[in-house]
Amino acid sequence: NAGVTQTPKFQVLKTGQSMTLQCAQDMNHNSMYWYRQDPGMGLRLIYYSASEGTTDKGEVPNGYNVSRLNKREFSLRLESAAPSQTSVYFCASSANWNTEAFFGQGTRLTVV
Amino acid sequence: GENVEQHPSTLSVQEGDSAVIKCTYSDSASNYFPWYKQELGKRPQLIIDIRSNVGEKKDQRIAVTLNKTAKHFSLHITETQPEDSAVYFCAAASGNTPLVFGKGTRLSVIA
């Protein structure tokens, strides 16, 4: 039982490049999230998904897109990376909105 | 949408003393209030949570209190130990909205 698995752990991109962060959970959770963590800013919600086929914007969605491919997987795509997107990204999942959220191990992304 | 404010941003205590971290929230519909601990380089992990129908909850040295009227909740850690040093996040959610986190408190326990 792996919980929440996200890949890759580390990534360096050049400005303008694109990439997709992958996330999968094996807990049969309905809700999935993408957060970014920057020093002094806490965990800010980028996008979230209540169930397969539905996605919604969070606090900081600009520059990102998401796909809830199925109940297990929720990917985050950067179409044209910018230095402002340098951050640590966490995927998380929970059974419902108001239950414990489990986090992946994080992706440290640097855009140069 | 929900807005969660957390104070202080940094906190230093002597080993064995108590630590208190406070959060306020804005959405009266919020009914779930978890606290997460994040050690350096690790993922956030739940340490305790409370629901809106409960005023206080304890788990060994950790306790959380909730005041729904004032829309604030607090984390209390007693008899602090060096391994309590970490960043702590409060959060709030309702049945219709996802978790919104505070900006975090960096707790340092000085031996």
Side-chain angles (χ1 to χ4, degrees):
Chain A
N1 196 351
V4 180
T5 304
Q6 53 178 114
T7 55
K9 281 196 77 173
F10 302 95
Q11 184 71 50
V12 179
L13 288 179
K14 293 182 179 178
T15 298
Q17 286 185 318
S18 62
M19 78 162 294
T20 299
L21 280 65
Q22 307 287 351
C23 176
Q25 52 91 8
D26 61 3
M27 295 174 282
N28 201 35
H29 284 167
N30 293 312
S31 306
M32 296 188 73
Y33 321 77
W34 278 103
Y35 290 92
R36 61 176 288 173
Q37 183 173 30
D38 303 292
M41 299 299 291
L43 292 155
R44 291 185 293 170
L45 186 62
I46 305 172
Y47 270 92
Y48 59 98
S49 170
S51 61
E52 181 182 348
T54 68
T55 61
D56 285 289
K57 295 178 180 178
E59 180 187 354
V60 288
N62 290 347
Y64 306 95
N65 284 301
V66 291
S67 294
R68 183 75 183 267
L69 305 168
N70 48 53
K71 192 169 186 179
R72 290 187 65 247
E73 298 172 290
F74 188 39
S75 61
L76 178 72
R77 183 161 178 83
L78 287 71
E79 290 290 352
S80 179
S84 60
Q85 294 178 305
T86 292
S87 187
V88 178
Y89 291 84
F90 285 100
C91 176
S93 72
S94 62
N96 297 295
W97 294 138
N98 50 5
T99 58
E100 179 180 0
F102 295 82
F103 284 80
Q105 73 269 38
T107 297
R108 185 171 294 275
L109 175 67
T110 303
V111 183
V112 297
Chain B
E2 176 65 275
N3 182 49
V4 178
E5 301 279 345
Q6 181 171 348
H7 300 279
S9 57
T10 59
L11 179 60
S12 291
V13 299
Q14 292 290 131
E15 183 178 358
D17 286 351
S18 295
V20 180
I21 303 170
K22 298 182 178 182
C23 289
T24 60
Y25 62 99
S26 61
D27 187 351
S28 56
S30 289
N31 57 11
Y32 177 63
F33 307 94
W35 287 88
Y36 283 79
K37 176 182 180 182
Q38 186 180 29
E39 296 176 348
L40 191 62
K42 302 288 181 65
R43 72 190 80 187
Q45 292 193 294
L46 181 77
I47 55 171
I48 195 167
D49 56 13
I50 192 167
R51 296 192 178 276
S52 57
N53 57 347
V54 175
E56 183 175 2
K57 185 176 179 181
K58 282 186 180 179
D59 182 3
Q60 298 180 32
R61 295 186 297 107
I62 294 172
V64 57
T65 59
L66 171 65
N67 183 328
K68 281 215 72 178
T69 303
K71 293 200 193 114
H72 65 73
F73 56 113
S74 301
L75 178 70
H76 305 252
I77 305 174
T78 59
E79 301 171 19
T80 53
Q81 300 166 4
E83 52 265 39
D84 294 329
S85 296
V87 178
Y88 292 81
F89 292 98
C90 63
S94 75
N96 300 311
T97 56
L99 277 174
V100 174
F101 286 84
K103 287 184 168 49
T105 297
R106 183 174 299 279
L107 174 64
S108 299
V109 180
I110 304 162

